[in-house]
Amino acid sequence: MRPYVSVVAGALALGVLGGAAHANTLTVGLAAEPTSIDPHFHNLSPNNSLLTHVFEPLIAQDAQQRHQPALAVSWRPISDTTWEFKLREGVTFHDGSAFNADDVVFSFERAPNVPNSPSSFKTYTGGKTVKKVDDYTVHFMTEKPYPLMPNDVSTIFIVSNETSGATTEDYNSGKAAVGTGQYKFVEYVPGDRIVVARNDAYWGAKAGFDKVTFKPIKSDPARVAALLAGDVDMIEAVPTTDIARLKADGKVTLSSGVSNRVIYFYLDQYRESTPQVTAKDGSAIRNPFLDLRVRQAVSYAINRQAIADRVMEGASLPAGQLLPDGFFGTSPKISAPAYDPTKAVMLLGEAGYSNGFKMVVHGPNDRYLNDAKIVEAVAQMLNRVGIEASVETLPRSVYFKRASTGLDGEPEFTMGLVGWGSATGEASSPLKSLIATFDKGKGLGASNRGRYSNAEVDALLAQALSTVDDAKREALLAKATEISMSEIGIVPVHFQVNTWATRKGLSYTPRTDEYTLVRDVVVK
């Protein structure tokens, strides 16, 4: 990520780097079904992943979430508050109409204003004014310097200005599903399939398959069975329990890669009395997690390597911060905390909890790989250091609402399992949402359910968000991460490793954003 990018169109364009060789058809088994074909309706990973085949942003992200030219060929700040984007010429939408600056302005006006959107794109479009300079130049303006403009712009799909007035239903029916991507929309049958076909007029490298069918198969065993039966050519989200078996199957190729999703626990560290904690005799006690030593004890009590080895069966990496090593804004000074139950017991004693206390650990049971098993394992580990922990796991449709606002509008649970993936591929995303002091008006700390708060961390983050110099901004983000992790703002457990499986003759390039993109399928 750079604050100033000027890249010549052509060889470096993402589409040109696509590795899929030509073949006829491909059928993909999806773990989660997109909720719409409207690219601005729902900011959700399954939607964004699938719609990348039909629609394109100005800036794309490669498998490591590095920026690549897409409908923009270059971008740069021309003042403290204005970024200039030069657009790709000669691009046409699937209906044959020409792409130009009017489409960009229209798309950024539409994206945050789609009716009934369950999760809008306003978080990326807010505070920005888009202005057409000429047919192939646009300016993005902000009130203050904003170095993350390329990151935000990379999240918005461009639609045709000629579809003005189209509804989400028009996209779902195909009437308005007109993009510039490698594939054209063909058919959407909710609950059964989504079909796309190669766009022979694509501006970059042509798609590797004539036709691709995406089939939602939510059941893990059914998804694996479909691959082994030859009903699909590849699947995403291979269950960890099947990895060893599939690895030994000569007809299947597995591709695994660490994602940017950190799985962590939050701890209520703002209320004097926290809902699910009592003394061991059931009497009320002060919230123990207000004491840093107790939060540290919880972290030392967790055997992260054992969870990676036994619960995740190798499909995770122990975590000590918000993103894996190598991502922008991570700190090289932080490693995953060592398992040290003796130190955990000592810290509990120093904090006045030699006899421990009772608590309930919460988590979802259908959102992340082995989420309920992780909660159970951590509860057992807490019991070993004297914290009498029991477990309650819930369907995600219930869990997240209660975790955020279930107690008179406040977070309901004392300790809960959550995951976070950085859509922007750098550290400001989790810092803004998980660590920054909760401020609904400013949109900060939106997922900070433990309500960790440190004014110095907030100031470092604010300074980073207006610092254009890459090196200085990275140092500020790393410093904010170091302070918040030393204070156990959250308790990172691991970074999820995702696995895709393909039939013999195919392979897949794993992506850190967890997307399943046909352009990353390679025909051997």
Side-chain angles (χ1 to χ4, degrees):
M1 186 184 62
R2 298 180 176 84
Y4 178 95
V5 180
S6 180
V7 187
V8 177
L12 292 179
L14 191 70
V16 180
L17 296 175
H22 285 276
N24 290 323
T25 64
L26 184 77
T27 303
V28 181
L30 300 177
E33 182 178 8
T35 58
S36 175
I37 302 301
D38 184 341
H40 302 148
F41 173 69
H42 195 175
N43 182 17
L44 190 71
S45 290
N47 293 37
N48 299 338
S49 172
L50 186 136
L51 295 174
T52 296
H53 298 89
V54 178
F55 302 93
E56 294 179 291
L58 295 184
I59 300 172
Q61 297 182 4
D62 69 8
Q64 300 299 315
Q65 292 185 274
R66 293 169 297 204
H67 291 161
Q68 303 285 343
L71 293 179
V73 295
S74 67
W75 51 95
R76 66 187 180 109
I78 58 172
S79 74
D80 285 347
T81 57
T82 301
W83 283 76
E84 181 174 271
F85 284 69
K86 292 291 187 182
L87 307 183
R88 188 178 300 278
E89 299 185 34
V91 176
T92 57
F93 286 94
H94 298 155
D95 62 0
S97 60
F99 159 74
N100 60 37
D102 292 327
D103 303 307
V104 177
V105 174
F106 171 69
S107 298
F108 276 80
E109 290 176 347
R110 181 180 189 273
N113 296 306
V114 174
N116 303 315
S117 168
S119 177
S120 87
F121 287 84
K122 190 172 184 178
T123 187
Y124 302 120
T125 60
K128 304 175 182 66
T129 301
V130 188
K131 176 185 175 184
K132 174 183 176 181
V133 177
D134 59 42
D135 280 350
Y136 295 101
T137 306
V138 292
H139 285 172
F140 286 79
M141 295 166 285
T142 53
E143 291 186 0
K144 297 179 179 178
Y146 192 69
L148 294 176
M149 185 67 77
N151 302 66
D152 287 1
V153 167
S154 72
T155 66
I156 304 299
F157 287 116
I158 303 302
V159 298
S160 171
N161 182 43
E162 295 185 12
T163 62
S164 176
T167 65
T168 293
E169 288 70 29
D170 291 329
Y171 281 89
N172 292 340
S173 71
K175 180 180 177 182
V178 177
T180 61
Q182 280 186 312
Y183 289 91
K184 297 180 179 180
F185 172 85
V186 174
E187 183 182 31
Y188 171 38
V189 181
D192 186 71
R193 64 187 181 276
I194 299 148
V195 182
V196 297
R198 183 165 62 194
N199 171 20
D200 288 325
Y202 187 60
W203 57 267
K206 301 300 182 288
F209 299 91
D210 294 336
K211 175 184 171 184
V212 180
T213 300
F214 297 93
K215 292 189 71 66
I217 309 175
K218 297 179 182 178
S219 163
D220 288 346
R223 201 163 56 253
V224 173
L227 176 70
L228 294 177
D231 295 335
V232 300
D233 298 302
M234 68 175 291
I235 60 173
E236 63 182 10
V238 175
T240 57
T241 51
D242 288 305
I243 289 177
R245 177 168 66 103
L246 294 177
K247 193 175 290 184
D249 190 324
K251 297 179 181 178
V252 173
T253 299
L254 297 184
S255 305
S256 298
V258 65
S259 75
N260 64 25
R261 184 179 302 283
V262 60
I263 301 297
Y264 68 95
F265 284 92
Y266 67 85
L267 300 170
D268 177 355
Q269 47 192 287
Y270 77 108
R271 289 179 283 212
E272 283 293 318
S273 176
T274 189
Q276 290 94 29
V277 170
T278 66
K280 286 192 173 177
D281 64 3
S283 59
I285 60 173
R286 184 174 184 262
N287 178 0
F289 297 116
L290 294 174
D291 191 315
L292 172 60
R293 292 168 294 186
V294 179
R295 303 199 300 272
Q296 290 172 325
V298 168
S299 184
Y300 282 121
I302 297 175
N303 189 339
R304 292 167 173 81
Q305 191 61 57
I307 292 174
D309 293 341
R310 300 170 198 168
V311 178
M312 297 299 292
E313 301 181 68
S316 73
L317 298 176
Q321 56 182 314
L322 303 168
L323 283 167
D325 293 343
F327 279 86
F328 188 91
T330 56
S331 171
K333 299 177 182 177
I334 302 176
S335 56
Y339 173 52
D340 193 338
T342 301
K343 194 167 185 177
V345 171
M346 182 192 73
L347 287 165
L348 287 171
E350 290 178 359
Y353 297 98
S354 298
N355 295 322
F357 50 84
K358 292 176 68 174
M359 69 175 298
V360 181
V361 184
H362 285 88
N365 55 26
D366 59 356
R367 174 61 186 90
Y368 310 110
L369 280 174
N370 301 329
D371 42 17
K373 293 180 181 177
I374 297 168
V375 176
E376 291 166 0
V378 168
Q380 291 174 10
M381 293 170 185
L382 294 178
N383 274 281
R384 290 176 192 147
V385 299
I387 299 174
E388 192 176 315
S390 58
V391 167
E392 184 180 13
T393 58
L394 302 161
R396 59 180 172 179
S397 58
V398 176
Y399 173 74
F400 286 103
K401 184 176 182 180
R402 289 177 59 183
S404 297
T405 59
L407 188 64
D408 298 326
E410 294 289 311
E412 178 176 340
F413 306 135
T414 294
M415 177 175 179
L417 177 80
V418 193
W420 182 267
S422 174
T424 59
E426 45 76 57
S428 78
S429 168
L431 281 168
K432 284 195 292 186
S433 189
L434 311 183
I435 298 298
T437 298
F438 177 73
D439 187 328
K440 189 174 181 179
K442 294 180 179 177
L444 293 173
S447 298
N448 182 356
R449 298 179 178 91
R451 298 293 193 262
Y452 167 77
S453 178
N454 182 308
E456 183 182 4
V457 171
D458 292 341
L460 286 166
L461 177 58
Q463 187 180 351
L465 292 175
S466 60
T467 298
V468 175
D469 183 278
D470 255 1
K472 291 180 180 177
R473 186 170 69 262
E474 185 166 30
L476 290 164
L477 294 173
K479 184 64 176 175
T481 300
E482 290 163 10
I483 294 172
S484 58
M485 293 302 99
S486 71
E487 295 181 334
I488 319 294
I490 62 169
V491 184
V493 177
H494 62 234
F495 300 114
Q496 198 163 283
V497 174
N498 296 306
T499 302
W500 290 260
T502 53
R503 64 168 170 76
K504 188 176 182 179
L506 302 177
S507 66
Y508 187 71
T509 303
R511 297 182 58 86
T512 58
D513 57 15
E514 303 182 340
Y515 288 4
T516 297
L517 301 184
V518 172
R519 72 184 183 214
D520 293 320
V521 175
V522 178
V523 180
K524 298 180 179 177

